[in-house]
Amino acid sequence: VPSATTSVAASARRTAGSSAASPSRSSAAPSSSAASPSSSPSGSSSPASGALYVSTTGTDSAAGTQASPTTLTSAITRVAACGTIYLRGGTYNLAQTVTIAAGNNGTASARKTLSAYPGETPVLDYSAMAESSSNRGLAVNGAYWRVYGLTVQHAGDNGIFVGGSNNIIERTVTAFNRDSGLQISRIASDTPQAQWPANNLILSAESHDNADAAGENADGFAAKLTIGTGNVFRYCVSHNNIDDGWDLYTKSDTGAIGPVTIDHSLAYNNGTLTNGTVASAGDRNGFKLGGEDIAVNHIVTNNIAYKNGKHGFTWNSNPGTITMTSNVAIDSTERNFAFDGGTSVFRSNTSCRSTSSGTNDKITGNTDSSNQFWTGSNGSRCSSYAGTPRWSFASSGSLVVTFG
């Protein structure tokens, strides 16, 4: 049976007789890979030599050794290019944004790394924060950083905000934040377009149960409004967020953003929190790919949208040429694929429903017979996507989705 590690959508592995009620996740420990998913080292993996160590009981003035750990804010200002900060496991109760400042950079050949200690899970908890657009959790405004294995939760705005370029955010979990769990956007309103965040890779990350008070802004992942080129999401999972799974919105006052790639990723149950909460103001799409009639040629390949509260994949008034290849949408509340305009190119996409009722897909653009869209019945490929999905990250970091 083909494995979803090679193509999450087109080659999903089916597990017969599964009794899972909902998809589940697995966690992994950190390692030092840069551009591709990391293998999961065992708990006995040796930390990098010369690293700085942070713990829940660390102090600013401490040396940053294993015996005398420092604080996260202090370590961030001290780490050298090619250096590593290890966060020991436990809950860090924080009330202010932790910022990697613009200019605090590694290089292409010597990244700075902020990582969970091997085999441990550090949780940055911002429950003490009020909901406010200025109250982010971790702000990555520097360049050439790698952030690995952290959970960021309950921030007053984004859990992780990426305003810098050429960063890798890997194996993170952003949950219960009061705006989008992880967002890529410019640092400030006066940031020139040439400095909008570019070439960031979000890898093997999960984002769930993010919800703002208004119920209309908190997505799982957002790369919107003011971003440069080359931003990529790969092997990521967004579920049970109050608004959309992914939001690539554009506005007329800031214009077009750089094309975003979303690849081998999964969006499910967006629009409904895990506790059953639904907000009528939320858009509730799996993958929302535009806004305000601004053309951006995004690349959307090998993804799955499952039981999202509105559409699975939607152009959302993006008249550009979106590449839509080998995606699967299942049981969306409205359309699985909603493309009312534009010049998008559709190849090998699959739309399925578990009952004979449902709204037909709307497709405008370049399409051919390789697609199996819903027009009242399932195509032959839908038999591979029957039942409830399960998901996990393989030891390599690849996303594995099984149905049954």
Side-chain angles (χ1 to χ4, degrees):
V1 181
S3 169
T5 58
T6 56
S7 176
V8 170
S11 305
R13 185 171 60 208
R14 189 177 179 204
T15 303
S18 171
S19 61
S22 62
S24 59
R25 72 176 182 89
S26 64
S27 58
S31 75
S32 58
S33 172
S36 60
S38 306
S39 298
S40 176
S42 67
S44 61
S45 296
S46 298
S49 60
L52 290 170
Y53 292 85
V54 172
S55 81
T56 58
T57 58
T59 59
D60 286 341
S61 59
T65 62
Q66 293 205 55
S68 182
T70 188
T71 62
L72 178 54
T73 52
S74 178
I76 285 170
T77 64
R78 287 195 255 166
V79 66
C82 207
T84 298
I85 300 168
Y86 283 116
L87 271 68
R88 300 306 302 260
T91 299
Y92 295 75
N93 294 305
L94 302 167
Q96 294 183 329
T97 302
V98 174
T99 301
I100 299 172
N104 184 351
N105 302 333
T107 68
S109 59
R111 292 185 181 275
K112 296 185 178 184
T113 296
L114 172 59
S115 176
Y117 185 85
E120 299 182 3
T121 303
V123 178
L124 307 187
D125 190 292
Y126 292 88
S127 295
M129 275 185 169
E131 182 171 335
S132 170
S133 60
S134 62
N135 283 347
R136 292 164 175 151
L138 175 65
V140 184
N141 294 337
Y144 292 106
W145 278 76
R146 182 167 180 266
V147 177
Y148 190 104
L150 278 61
T151 293
V152 185
Q153 61 188 30
H154 298 294
D157 194 71
N158 307 126
I160 298 176
F161 175 84
V162 182
S165 296
N166 299 296
N167 298 293
I168 298 171
I169 313 295
E170 186 174 2
R171 302 284 185 104
T172 56
V173 178
T174 47
F176 306 106
N177 301 291
R178 282 158 283 181
D179 204 326
S180 298
L182 187 152
Q183 180 166 328
I184 307 173
S185 288
R186 67 184 177 187
I187 295 171
S189 60
D190 60 354
T191 301
Q193 187 168 359
Q195 296 176 22
W196 286 5
N199 302 315
N200 294 291
L201 174 61
I202 315 302
L203 192 62
S204 307
E206 179 188 6
S207 194
H208 69 91
D209 287 286
N210 298 287
D212 58 302
E216 60 180 355
N217 292 316
D219 311 297
F221 298 102
K224 61 184 182 181
L225 301 175
T226 51
I227 64 169
T229 59
N231 294 294
V232 176
F233 295 85
R234 180 163 290 124
Y235 304 131
C236 293
V237 179
S238 180
H239 64 94
N240 297 102
N241 299 287
I242 204 68
D243 199 30
D244 302 303
W246 267 264
D247 188 355
L248 309 187
Y249 198 74
T250 51
K251 293 182 70 172
S252 56
D253 60 347
T254 48
I257 60 175
V260 175
T261 295
I262 308 174
D263 178 56
H264 286 88
S265 293
L266 168 66
Y268 67 91
N269 291 350
N270 289 291
T272 304
L273 302 181
T274 299
N275 66 10
T277 298
V278 177
S280 59
D283 289 337
R284 307 187 299 282
N285 301 292
F287 298 84
K288 186 169 75 180
L289 306 176
E292 298 193 6
D293 297 307
I294 297 171
V296 185
N297 300 334
H298 299 304
I299 299 171
V300 182
T301 55
N302 298 293
N303 303 293
I304 297 175
Y306 177 80
K307 286 192 174 180
N308 294 287
K310 191 175 182 182
H311 304 309
F313 298 86
T314 175
W315 75 309
N316 205 54
S317 299
N318 177 355
T321 305
I322 304 172
T323 298
M324 296 288 300
T325 303
S326 297
N327 300 292
V328 176
I330 304 164
D331 285 342
S332 304
T333 298
E334 296 188 23
R335 289 188 170 114
N336 282 335
F337 291 85
F339 289 78
D340 297 82
T343 56
S344 295
V345 178
F346 301 87
R347 296 292 184 269
S348 302
N349 299 286
T350 304
S351 179
C352 308
R353 293 196 176 274
S354 58
T355 67
S356 58
S357 62
T359 304
N360 286 352
D361 296 325
K362 177 69 173 180
I363 303 298
T364 303
N366 182 329
T367 185
D368 67 8
S369 61
S370 67
N371 301 287
Q372 293 184 0
F373 291 119
W374 171 267
T375 56
S377 62
N378 286 329
S380 59
R381 291 197 294 263
C382 286
S383 60
S384 296
Y385 303 102
T388 301
R390 296 174 179 264
W391 69 271
S392 62
F393 293 125
S395 60
S396 66
S398 300
L399 176 62
V400 180
V401 180
T402 62
F403 284 81

